[in-house]
Amino acid sequence: MLPTRTLGTTGPAVSALGLGCMGMSALYGDADRAESIATIHAALEAGVTLLDTGDFYGMGHNELLIAEALRTAPAGRREQALTSVKFGALRTVEGGFTGYDGRPAAVRNFAAYSLQRLGTDHIDVYRIARVDPDVPIEETVGAIAELVEAGHVRHIGLSEVGADTLRRAAAVAPIADLQIEYSLISRGIEEKILPTARELGIGVTAYGVLSRGLISGHFTRDRALAPGDFRGMSPRFQGENLHRNLDLVDRLRAVADGKGVSVAQTAIAWALAQGDDIVPLVGARTRARLAEALGALDVTLDAADLAAIEEAVPAGAAAGARYPAAQMAHLDSEH
C-alpha cells in the first residue's frame, strides 16, 4: 500500500499521490479508452485512492469513464476509491468555455448529474472549478454544505482561490482542501495562499506538478501537438518560451541523473517534499507513466538535493503565464 496523507484537519486520509483523470477525456488530444481504464485499475491496485475529475471534462465523459473503471475493478479496490469532483464550468456544444455558475440551485443541479454519471450515492470531495464572480463564495460553499448535511457530499473543497476567498469560505463551513496548480515552475501559492491554507488547516491537492508534461522530461522541442491539445494555446509551450522552459528541464535532468531517477520523479518528489499537507495529482494517461510517477514515492530528497533543484529551477524562472490571458482572468488565485 502507498503512504497516505490527510486532506487538511477535516478531510479524509488519501494516498500520497492522487490520479488526475482529465487527460483521459479532454484537452490533451485523443485518449485510449481501454488504456485509460487499465491505468485507473493499475492505480487502484497500487494503492492510489484519490481519483480527481470534473463534470465538464469531456462534458461528462470523464465521470462516466471513472464509473466504468470502478464498476469493473475488484470490490476491495473500488470501495477504497475516493472521488474528487469539480463543477461549475459552462460549456458550448463546440467545446468552448463560457463562464462559471456557482448559484446554489446550480450547485445542486451539477451534483445531481455527477452522482448519476458516477453511479454512486455520494461524492467524497466537491468543489467549484473556478469562483463565479457574480455569486459570493459564501453562497456556493453554503450550498455544498447543504449537500454534505444531506449525505450527498462528504467533504468541501475549493479550487484556484486566493487567500481572502479561502478565509471567507472557511468561515462558512469546514474546507478539506484547496486544489491549485503547484510545481517547480508554478510557485505562486507560496507567498500568501499556502500559508493561509496551513493557518486554516486546509490541505492542498496540487495539480500540474509536471506542468502538463512540460517538466516531465518527455516533452521535446520539436513535438507536434494534436488538434485540440490545450498546450497548443498555453503560453509556456509557445515559441521562445518553450525553449527557455526546456532549458530549465535540461538543468533539472542533470540533478535527476545524479540521483539515478527520472526528471518526472524528481519533480514529483520535490512537490511531495514541500509538506505532508500537500497531495500531488499526477495526470498519467497510461500505465507506464503511472508507474514512473509512483516511483517518485521512493525518491528521498535531502537538503543538498533540494538546494540543487532550487538552483536548477529557481522560483519564478518559468517563461510565460500558466494559462492564456482569457483563462487567467477567471483565476481568483491570481488576483
Side-chain angles (χ1 to χ4, degrees), residues 159-171:
S159 176
E160 286 289 354
V161 304
D164 291 343
T165 303
L166 200 57
R167 290 188 187 280
R168 289 169 51 198

Side-chain angles (χ1 to χ4, degrees), residues 21 56 58 62 106 115 168 180 217 302 316 332:
C21 299
F56 51 94
N62 204 237
L115 289 168
R168 289 169 51 198
I180 196 163
D302 60 23
D332 181 78

Side-chain angles (χ1 to χ4, degrees), residues 163 166-167 188-202 204 277:
L166 200 57
R167 290 188 187 280
I189 72 169
E190 292 177 345
E191 182 179 356
K192 293 182 179 179
I193 296 173
L194 183 56
T196 301
R198 286 175 167 162
E199 175 192 336
L200 297 172
I202 297 170
V204 170
D277 54 348

Side-chain angles (χ1 to χ4, degrees), residues 45-234:
E45 187 62 30
V48 172
T49 61
L50 184 62
L51 302 179
D52 183 76
T53 185
D55 64 9
F56 51 94
Y57 293 168
M59 284 77 154
H61 178 279
N62 204 237
E63 290 178 320
L64 292 169
L65 183 76
I66 289 173
E68 181 179 348
L70 291 176
R71 187 170 61 250
T72 54
R77 297 303 185 193
R78 178 172 64 247
E79 291 162 3
Q80 292 172 359
L82 303 177
T83 53
S84 167
V85 180
K86 290 177 290 299
F87 69 89
L90 303 176
R91 306 292 302 272
T92 65
V93 173
E94 295 75 22
F97 287 84
T98 60
Y100 297 88
D101 193 344
R103 295 171 301 142
V107 174
R108 293 187 287 270
N109 180 77
F110 287 128
Y113 278 71
S114 283
L115 289 168
Q116 178 68 27
R117 284 188 292 261
L118 288 166
T120 184
D121 62 359
H122 72 274
I123 295 166
D124 292 288
V125 188
Y126 201 46
R127 70 188 87 241
I128 190 166
R130 301 286 186 268
V131 174
D132 181 344
D134 297 324
V135 178
I137 194 64
E138 291 85 352
E139 293 185 18
T140 302
V141 169
I144 305 175
E146 292 176 0
L147 291 172
V148 172
E149 186 174 352
H152 304 310
V153 168
R154 295 282 171 83
H155 302 279
I156 305 172
L158 292 168
S159 176
E160 286 289 354
V161 304
D164 291 343
T165 303
L166 200 57
R167 290 188 187 280
R168 289 169 51 198
V172 174
I175 305 297
D177 73 315
L178 167 63
Q179 187 172 122
I180 196 163
E181 185 168 357
Y182 186 43
S183 74
L184 267 171
I185 63 171
S186 296
R187 296 175 60 177
I189 72 169
E190 292 177 345
E191 182 179 356
K192 293 182 179 179
I193 296 173
L194 183 56
T196 301
R198 286 175 167 162
E199 175 192 336
L200 297 172
I202 297 170
V204 170
T205 41
Y207 76 87
V209 291
L210 296 180
S211 199
R212 301 164 187 85
L214 181 59
I215 59 172
S216 68
H218 301 296
F219 203 93
T220 59
R221 297 173 191 273
D222 59 352
R223 179 171 172 176
L225 295 171
D229 191 317
F230 162 80
R231 292 170 293 191
M233 299 181 296
S234 174

